[in-house]
Amino acid sequence: MPAMLINIVITAMLCTGIALFFILKIKRMQKSIVLSDDRGQPGKDGLELETLSLVARKTDNYVMISDKDDRIEWVNEGFTRLTGYTPEEVIGKNPAEILRGEFTDTEDAVRVDKKAKEKKPYSAEILNYNKKGDPIWMFFNVTPILNEKEDITKYITVGSDITEHKKEEEELKRQKEQIEKKYGKMWETSLAVHKQKEVVENLNAELNEQKEKLDQAYKHLSAKNAKLWRTSLLVNKQKEEVEKIRSELTTKNKDITDSIQYAKIIQQAILPRVSEIQKFLPEMFILYKPKDIVSGDFYWFTEKVGNRQSAVGNKSNSKLIFIAACDCTGHGVPGAFMSMIGNDLLNNAVIDKGITEPASILDRLQVGIRFTLRQDRADSEAQDGMDMALISLTAPLQLPPKGESQRTGTPLIDKTVSHQRGDSPPRPKVGGKGAAVTLQYAGANNPLYIIRKGAKSSEIYKEAIPFGEGLEGAEVKGDKQPVGIYGTVIKPFTNHT
């Protein structure tokens, strides 16, 4: 058994043992706790409680006790050494809120949350992050404490750092792949040799048969043998040529694949970070599943501070953010080229030219793509473009008091505003109190779906789509034309507010 696996098993056994120790002690002391005897000396239960506290504080493993809603009530020193968080920083919080991060596997997180509700002890491992933002792999045992009614009252979690184990596991996996690749090539060579051996054996059998007739047709057999020899030389020569071509193709394929992989790094570098968007829309998410190594689909985001014209003619500072979902013609490398063009033209329209209306931005892209791809020339063969849904969110910008620097990244939606169940949702608050968010949209073939709870006052909700749990949605359709050449008639895009 590899040393790494032995270490993991030992860690799991230690975590389980510590968890069982805590549970037995807690259950025993729940029934009757005597902290001192008649002489003022620590009683048996008091000594056990002191021992339990010492073990919990000094063990290398981290120990965490949380309530029925998995809100932390107590952590030991091992937790602080591992995560960097002090008890004061985590008590009252859900472990997932402070430990999970950007690369925490969603499926692992869902699986752990599901097990926590099953009222049964379980073990798991998951990628978390310490206070500095460094990733750490944690293995832990969780044991729910149940009351007489079989309801969960607390959770006891005992875990340890298995980051080094995971690194060793990845290294072993890499070495295994290298070995399999090496011996896979040797197996292919062996099969080729075996096949060639069969060919030679067949030729020998034929030669032996001809040899038996040598006395009767010696001259005829000599001519036939000469012909077979020439054929053998031709086969060997052709085999050498095939092997040479195969080697060249393998090299070229690797060069092309390496080049595309590097192009993927460049393409991903232009995509906005999800964390940047979440500064303004904390509950947003992005579903991005490229078909090939590089993609013809991309998403785009930028922010802008500008002037907004009010109903009475006054101007005020406002925060604008722009979000686009784009689908370029083609897949792979051609689509990736189009995505680079589209991203650059969006930045030019909004950041360089200061255009803020979505329809006007798409009109600008229309001109830019036709110019870039020379689509207005009679001999142009580039019939490419992209479908797109583009929105802008505009909200008043609450400036800080005089003498204070303005902070960036203020969320557009104020989640502190509450309302009673069954009432229409309140208008979102932006940059402070009492200001509403304005949404504008323009689309090139791609629609916009708006989902909200309750209210149907807007024109777009006349044909509402039910989503369950009191949610209704509506589809705002974009213009039936792409950004880029389409037939001979190009129309301005429609702006929806």
Side-chain angles (χ1 to χ4, degrees):
M1 180 181 294
M4 181 194 70
L5 183 57
I6 293 175
N7 290 336
I8 293 177
V9 172
I10 292 174
T11 301
M13 293 174 65
L14 287 174
C15 291
T16 303
I18 293 173
L20 289 174
F21 175 77
F22 273 90
I23 294 166
L24 292 174
K25 291 293 185 181
I26 290 175
K27 287 188 174 180
R28 181 176 178 183
M29 288 186 285
Q30 281 179 339
K31 296 179 179 180
S32 174
I33 296 180
V34 178
L35 297 180
S36 62
D37 57 18
D38 295 336
R39 296 173 297 173
Q41 297 298 320
K44 181 179 179 181
D45 291 330
L47 290 174
E48 290 183 351
L49 183 60
E50 182 178 355
T51 302
L52 177 61
S53 174
L54 181 62
V55 171
R57 285 186 289 106
K58 298 303 181 180
T59 179
D60 290 336
N61 298 87
Y62 78 85
V63 181
M64 178 174 63
I65 300 177
S66 53
D67 62 15
K68 64 183 180 64
D69 297 319
D70 206 17
R71 298 289 176 181
I72 298 174
E73 293 183 342
W74 182 87
V75 295
N76 71 339
E77 297 175 4
F79 181 89
T80 300
R81 287 194 298 270
L82 178 59
T83 67
Y85 290 102
T86 63
E88 293 78 9
E89 293 176 308
V90 301
I91 289 178
K93 297 181 180 180
N94 188 291
E97 296 176 359
I98 57 177
L99 296 178
R100 294 178 186 175
E102 180 179 0
F103 295 106
T104 299
D105 189 273
T106 303
E107 293 183 359
D108 288 347
V110 171
R111 188 159 47 249
V112 169
D113 295 340
K114 182 179 179 181
K115 286 183 177 180
K117 300 177 181 178
E118 295 179 354
K119 301 182 180 181
K120 296 179 181 179
Y122 66 91
S123 300
E125 60 182 44
I126 193 170
L127 177 64
N128 284 331
Y129 291 80
N130 62 18
K131 185 176 180 180
K132 295 180 180 179
D134 299 325
I136 50 175
W137 275 97
M138 291 184 175
F139 175 85
F140 54 89
N141 282 289
V142 180
T143 303
I145 305 301
L146 308 180
N147 59 18
E148 294 79 1
K149 298 180 181 180
E150 295 298 316
D151 294 326
I152 296 175
T153 61
K154 295 183 183 300
Y155 293 95
I156 296 178
T157 303
V158 180
S160 61
D161 182 0
I162 61 168
T163 303
E164 292 303 318
H165 298 328
K166 296 298 290 187
K167 289 181 179 178
E168 292 176 5
E169 186 179 272
E170 288 297 323
E171 177 62 20
L172 287 177
K173 181 180 178 181
R174 184 186 67 80
Q175 293 178 3
K176 179 183 176 183
E177 291 176 350
Q178 289 181 343
I179 291 173
E180 290 177 346
K181 183 177 179 181
K182 177 180 178 180
Y183 284 97
K185 292 182 177 179
M186 293 177 63
W187 177 250
E188 292 177 359
T189 304
S190 176
L191 290 178
V193 171
H194 182 72
K195 186 176 181 180
Q196 187 65 25
K197 179 181 178 182
E198 291 180 349
V199 172
V200 173
E201 288 176 350
N202 291 335
L203 287 175
N204 286 335
E206 184 176 348
L207 290 173
N208 288 332
E209 182 180 350
Q210 293 296 326
K211 185 178 179 180
E212 293 176 358
K213 302 177 181 180
L214 184 61
D215 294 338
Q216 300 177 5
Y218 177 78
K219 291 182 180 181
H220 178 71
L221 184 57
S222 297
K224 188 172 184 179
N225 285 338
K227 182 179 180 180
L228 289 173
W229 177 250
R230 289 193 298 270
T231 302
S232 178
L233 292 176
L234 179 60
V235 169
N236 288 333
K237 183 178 180 180
Q238 291 176 345
K239 180 184 176 182
E240 292 175 358
E241 293 176 353
V242 168
E243 289 297 329
K244 181 180 178 181
I245 293 173
R246 178 183 175 184
S247 176
E248 291 175 352
L249 289 176
T250 301
T251 301
K252 290 180 180 179
N253 181 66
K254 182 180 183 302
D255 292 342
I256 294 171
T257 302
D258 291 345
S259 178
I260 296 176
Q261 288 286 359
Y262 192 79
K264 177 184 177 182
I265 298 174
I266 297 174
Q267 186 183 45
Q268 288 183 337
I270 71 171
L271 296 177
R273 293 181 179 270
V274 174
S275 59
E276 291 298 320
I277 307 177
Q278 287 177 335
K279 290 180 182 178
F280 304 93
L281 301 171
E283 297 181 356
M284 61 77 64
F285 70 92
I286 295 174
L287 181 63
Y288 183 61
K289 299 287 186 180
K291 176 179 179 293
D292 299 309
I293 298 176
V294 291
S295 176
D297 301 329
F298 71 99
Y299 55 94
W300 174 83
F301 167 84
T302 193
E303 61 170 306
K304 185 179 180 66
V305 176
N307 292 327
R308 186 184 66 150
Q309 190 77 25
S310 67
V312 296
N314 297 326
K315 290 185 176 179
S316 62
N317 286 330
S318 60
K319 172 76 73 175
L320 295 90
I321 68 170
F322 301 85
I323 303 174
C326 313
D327 178 10
C328 302
T329 55
H331 298 286
V333 175
F337 273 109
M338 288 301 300
S339 72
M340 300 290 284
I341 294 173
N343 184 83
D344 183 63
L345 291 176
L346 282 168
N347 288 331
N348 176 264
V350 176
I351 299 174
D352 298 339
K353 301 300 181 183
I355 304 173
T356 59
E357 184 186 69
S360 299
I361 295 172
L362 293 190
D363 290 337
R364 179 74 185 182
L365 258 67
Q366 183 78 269
V367 174
I369 288 178
R370 290 168 64 89
F371 175 79
T372 302
L373 300 181
R374 306 293 192 268
Q375 292 179 337
D376 291 327
R377 298 191 318 197
D379 60 345
S380 175
E381 297 181 357
Q383 304 294 310
D384 296 287
M386 62 189 69
D387 296 337
M388 182 181 301
L390 172 65
I391 66 169
S392 71
L393 291 171
T394 309
L397 180 63
Q398 183 181 16
L399 297 177
K402 185 175 181 181
E404 296 184 13
S405 61
Q406 183 172 330
R407 298 166 57 191
T408 60
T410 303
L412 281 177
I413 305 301
D414 184 357
K415 297 195 293 183
T416 61
V417 180
S418 62
H419 66 282
Q420 299 296 323
R421 185 179 298 275
D423 297 340
S424 297
R427 295 175 63 85
K429 307 301 180 183
V430 180
K433 301 291 184 180
V437 174
T438 300
L439 183 148
Q440 297 187 56
Y441 154 75
N445 286 327
N446 286 354
L448 171 69
Y449 291 95
I450 302 177
I451 303 173
R452 61 187 299 183
K453 188 172 184 179
K456 303 179 184 177
S457 58
S458 176
E459 290 292 327
I460 65 173
Y461 284 90
K462 288 184 178 180
E463 298 182 2
I465 305 171
F467 281 84
E469 299 184 1
L471 298 175
E472 291 185 336
E475 179 184 11
V476 184
K477 296 183 178 180
D479 295 289
K480 292 295 183 181
Q481 64 176 14
V483 178
I485 194 164
Y486 181 75
T488 57
V489 179
I490 301 297
K491 300 182 295 183
F493 286 95
T494 306
N495 202 68
H496 302 270
T497 303

